[in-house]
Amino acid sequence: MSDLLSAVSAFSKKTDARDRFLRAVQFATKIQKWASPENQKLMATVSASLADSRKALKLFAFIESVDTIRTLSAKHPLLYFLNLGKNVFLALFNALDNSLWFAARGIIKPNDLNALKKLTFSAWLVAIILSIWSSLLSLRLLGADMEQKERQRKLKVQERKEGKNVDSEMTLIFEQINSLRQRHGTLIKVLIKDVLDFPVAVDGVRGGVGNPNTIGFFGLCSSLVGLNLTWSG
């Protein structure tokens, strides 16, 4: 029990965990299909308040994306450029999102606030599309690596049958295969999260004209996947 409490405590101290928890509640309040008119108004207020809180929590978050760009590396050239583009647009999205927070407090006064909102969601939408392509390519490359390790494992099994001592090599191969499987699972979750975020970003670009119940459902599911990723990480 104490180990669980320690894990939850450590999890709650992560900025990403707090943001994704607030995001899950924010999108849950958008699902108003069965709520009374009075409760719908309250839920809309809570959703707007949580959205503002999340913006404050993510002030200057674009610095993280900039730092990721600085240390970026990939074994495949296309994967490198996809990840580069994703992080460039994530940095742009976070910077623009910060601008919206400053604008809401009168610190800055954009000429067209709605245009700024659409530009912010457009940057996020491009980042999502690039992230989806990056995940798909990474899964393909990872599949090739797993096939190679499986061939190596079968070769070592054959050598063991021939009487050779390959215990240390077998242990290393199994560790590598397990690591690849864990990475595969993480990539699948990232891909699912991006696919769920896609309609939310599209709705933002369109000015938020979509069905709030549908958008709330996709956003809630995406947030829950994000929380799982943060917990696993």
Side-chain angles (χ1 to χ4, degrees), residues 140-157:
R140 182 177 178 181
L141 295 172
L142 194 62
D145 289 342
M146 291 178 73
E147 288 178 2
Q148 182 184 20
K149 292 301 175 184
E150 185 61 24
R151 287 194 296 270
Q152 292 177 0
R153 184 192 68 80
K154 290 179 179 178
L155 180 62
K156 293 302 176 182
V157 168

Side-chain angles (χ1 to χ4, degrees), residues 76-144:
H76 194 286
L78 179 56
L79 183 60
Y80 173 83
F81 285 110
L82 286 171
N83 288 334
L84 176 63
K86 177 185 72 174
N87 282 283
V88 166
F89 278 96
L90 276 177
L92 178 60
F93 163 70
N94 284 316
L96 291 170
D97 203 40
N98 289 171
S99 298
L100 290 174
W101 189 84
F102 289 127
R105 279 147 186 79
I107 299 173
I108 62 173
K109 295 181 179 180
N111 294 329
D112 190 337
L113 184 59
N114 287 330
L116 179 59
K117 288 180 180 179
K118 289 184 179 182
L119 182 61
T120 302
F121 278 103
S122 295
W124 185 35
L125 180 60
V126 174
I128 289 172
I129 293 171
L130 292 172
S131 182
I132 289 173
W133 280 107
S134 173
S135 295
L136 290 173
L137 178 57
S138 295
L139 285 168
R140 182 177 178 181
L141 295 172
L142 194 62

Side-chain angles (χ1 to χ4, degrees), residues 51-59 101 105:
D52 185 72
S53 299
R54 289 184 56 239
K55 283 182 171 59
L57 193 64
K58 295 177 68 177
L59 281 175
W101 189 84
R105 279 147 186 79

Side-chain angles (χ1 to χ4, degrees), residues 60-73 87-88 91:
F60 308 111
F62 66 89
I63 295 174
E64 181 180 351
S65 295
V66 172
D67 186 57
T68 301
I69 293 169
R70 185 179 60 83
T71 58
L72 198 62
S73 64
N87 282 283
V88 166

Side-chain angles (χ1 to χ4, degrees), residues 41-56:
K41 187 175 181 179
L42 174 62
M43 290 166 73
T45 302
V46 171
S47 179
S49 177
L50 287 171
D52 185 72
S53 299
R54 289 184 56 239
K55 283 182 171 59

Side-chain angles (χ1 to χ4, degrees), residues 15-16 23 28 31 42 52 106 128 130 132 136 166 168 176 183 202:
T15 302
D16 279 349
R23 187 176 189 265
I31 306 174
L42 174 62
D52 185 72
I128 289 172
L130 292 172
I132 289 173
L136 290 173
V166 293
S168 59
Q176 291 172 338
R183 196 168 151 223
V202 170

Side-chain angles (χ1 to χ4, degrees), residues 217-228:
F217 173 77
F218 280 112
L220 174 60
C221 291
S222 165
S223 301
L224 293 176
V225 175
L227 279 168
N228 181 266

Side-chain angles (χ1 to χ4, degrees), residues 188-200:
I188 291 294
K189 292 176 186 177
V190 170
L191 181 59
I192 292 172
K193 182 180 180 301
D194 286 334
V195 170
L196 290 168
D197 275 334
F198 184 82
V200 180

